[in-house]
Amino acid sequence: MTAVFGDVWFAVLSKLSHYLPLDILQWSQKMPITSINPATNETLQTFTSLSKDESLNAVATAGEAYQSWRKTSFAERKKVLLAFATELRKRSDEFARLITLDMGKRISESRREIEYCAEISDFYANGAETFLADQPMEDVDANAYIRKEPIGVLLGVMPWNFPFYQVVRFAAPNIMAGNAVMLKHASSVPQCAQAIAELFDECGLPKGVYTNLFIPSEFVETVVADSRVQGVSLTGSEKAGAAVAALAGKNLKRSVLELGGNDPFIVLEDADIPKTAELAVKGRVVNAGQSCVASKRFIVVESVADEFLTAFKEGMSKLKIGDPMDEDTTLAPLSSEEAAVKLLQQVQSSIDAGATVLLGGDRPDCEGAYFNATILTDVTPDMPTFDQELFGPVATVYVVKDEAAAIELANRSSYGLGGSVYTKDIQRGQRVAEQIETGMMFVNQPTRSQAELPFGGVKNSGYGRELSSLGIQEFINKKLIHLGPKT
């Protein structure tokens, strides 16, 4: 790392948003990696980061493992991944509890996350051989085909907000493709990081095919620069993505970035308002609002704005803050005290600039990283939060004249991850969806992910796709095999 690039790298790290751990700079001093329960601020468990030599040894082990794993059959890989899915389901309560303890997710959502990881594992275990089958070259005068092969060791840099799902959606397809995976998880979810690695080991995955890396931030460049590492995938903030993309580009490595989002939730005048308001609450507070594809900007046509706001406020006000282990809790804490402080600063900056607080706008008087359900109106483009991602249970509502104005405002964003539109006319919803500049649009339902559907964005929300048959294609070599002319 040159002095100049190092300064830039650490400047970026010092300003990273919610996705990456806030204490990441301290890792240069080999500081402990600590799990803190955000509901109680209690320290749960502490781990130690790897030294530089240990990190390089891990890369060497992964490189050796790749040379063997790439030669295994789909049937051998499938056996391991199906066993992984089976164990996830059997031990769902155990793993869900780790998620809730590490980052505060409601226990019911944590169990659903584990089930979803099992679904993704099943999907790639059963589909990889078809997705990566040889592709004959047709309509050309050549006896040729495309062979899809693994490329090497891959590095994943993953966030805390879905500590099992984010890892599995990266690891499952690439393990099935024959690559070896190294995973640098967020430092705030170390119990989850270790549990995933241990489970792969228990399910028979050879040592080095999947590696959990408790590494300092400055070692990321060392790993990416290693010739055995051929690609890097990051889910995180746009600043983190820019830093990692620069590392990948400098070292001529492939990269996939899934970054932040500011998803529009467009309510047209012919929408079913009671149902739409109900979905708006669900879309905004999924994972306590800490999701890149949570609904964030609510853009409502003026003729139904009052009705929508009344119903939306009523739904948000009924959310119950409490212990995320309690099944009755409907609004969990944020992932950390630092995250709650940052969100309050963002909200207050909008209030100070003239935004109206329709609900909440502050934190409850209780222990833990909690934040009250909040609705802001009268947010204008000159306010600092207009084009920022608010990572928590904070909704901004915009009232517009008509459909055209809704589309224009939805596209007035540096982000382009997901979005949704609500109308009783499906064809109209499709027409509007096709005009929104995002990687994903949903009609009459908030943005969500599904193993069979591609996931990813445009603009500052990143590039590349995960999940579906497209997700397994990002880190493979599509090699042409030419056997001569047909004639």
Side-chain angles (χ1 to χ4, degrees), residues 50-311:
L50 300 178
S51 68
K52 187 171 184 179
D53 285 344
E54 290 170 332
S55 301
L56 291 174
N57 288 339
V59 175
T61 299
E64 292 173 4
Y66 164 70
Q67 293 302 329
S68 298
W69 186 248
R70 68 190 300 271
K71 299 173 185 176
T72 58
S73 66
F74 284 110
E76 291 175 84
R77 301 171 197 168
K78 178 178 179 178
K79 181 179 178 180
V80 172
L81 204 56
L82 289 179
F84 183 79
T86 297
E87 287 302 309
L88 285 172
R89 292 188 172 101
K90 283 183 179 179
R91 298 163 61 183
S92 175
D93 288 342
E94 172 191 344
F95 295 133
R97 185 173 182 275
L98 285 182
I99 292 174
T100 298
L101 288 174
D102 260 356
M103 57 75 57
K105 194 192 302 286
R106 291 192 303 122
I107 191 63
S108 59
E109 289 184 306
S110 295
R111 283 195 294 267
R112 173 55 190 147
E113 181 174 338
I114 296 301
E115 171 58 31
Y116 188 26
C117 289
E119 293 171 5
I120 292 171
S121 300
D122 284 341
F123 174 74
Y124 283 113
N126 294 315
E129 187 169 8
T130 298
F131 301 150
L132 299 180
D134 290 346
Q135 179 183 337
M137 300 296 293
E138 300 175 349
D139 300 322
V140 295
D141 185 19
N143 183 8
Y145 61 96
I146 301 296
R147 165 69 45 107
K148 299 171 184 177
E149 299 178 337
I151 61 172
V153 179
L154 308 176
L155 173 65
V157 181
M158 295 295 141
W160 48 259
N161 56 339
F162 293 90
F164 270 70
Y165 158 65
Q166 298 283 3
V167 173
V168 171
R169 80 175 186 188
F170 165 66
N174 286 301
I175 287 172
M176 282 304 300
N179 292 312
V181 170
M182 308 191 82
L183 201 291
K184 179 196 177 303
H185 217 324
S187 65
S188 58
V189 289
Q191 295 185 101
C192 293
Q194 179 168 274
I196 294 169
E198 290 176 349
L199 184 57
F200 271 123
D201 182 61
E202 292 167 13
C203 291
L205 193 66
K207 181 181 179 181
V209 178
Y210 181 93
T211 305
N212 174 47
L213 288 178
F214 284 143
I215 61 172
S217 58
E218 62 265 33
F219 294 176
V220 169
E221 183 176 22
T222 299
V223 174
V224 174
D226 193 286
S227 61
R228 289 161 291 205
V229 175
Q230 292 298 305
V232 56
S233 178
L234 174 137
T235 297
S237 70
E238 56 192 296
K239 290 178 180 177
V244 169
L247 286 176
K250 174 185 175 183
N251 291 283
L252 301 179
K253 306 295 173 68
R254 297 188 192 185
S255 61
V256 168
L257 303 178
E258 193 269 280
L259 309 179
N262 202 2
D263 286 19
F265 184 107
I266 302 170
V267 184
L268 301 179
E269 72 278 359
D270 63 343
D272 180 338
I273 298 301
K275 180 63 175 177
T276 299
E278 180 183 334
L279 291 172
V281 175
K282 292 180 179 178
R284 177 58 280 201
V285 300
V286 60
N287 203 27
Q290 301 168 115
S291 170
C292 51
V293 291
S295 305
K296 298 185 178 77
R297 294 182 295 146
F298 296 82
I299 302 171
V300 189
V301 171
E302 61 184 359
S303 61
V304 294
D306 289 344
E307 182 184 1
F308 173 80
L309 275 170
T310 298

Side-chain angles (χ1 to χ4, degrees), residues 295-351:
S295 305
K296 298 185 178 77
R297 294 182 295 146
F298 296 82
I299 302 171
V300 189
V301 171
E302 61 184 359
S303 61
V304 294
D306 289 344
E307 182 184 1
F308 173 80
L309 275 170
T310 298
F312 186 36
K313 180 181 178 181
E314 180 181 1
M316 291 283 279
S317 64
K318 289 180 179 178
L319 294 169
K320 179 183 176 182
I321 287 176
D323 182 353
M325 289 292 187
D326 187 339
E327 298 286 354
D328 292 332
T329 294
T330 53
L331 186 58
L334 300 188
S335 65
S336 66
E337 180 64 21
E338 291 88 347
V341 169
K342 176 184 176 182
L343 184 61
L344 182 60
Q345 291 172 343
Q346 288 180 294
V347 169
Q348 191 59 51
S349 71
S350 287
I351 296 171

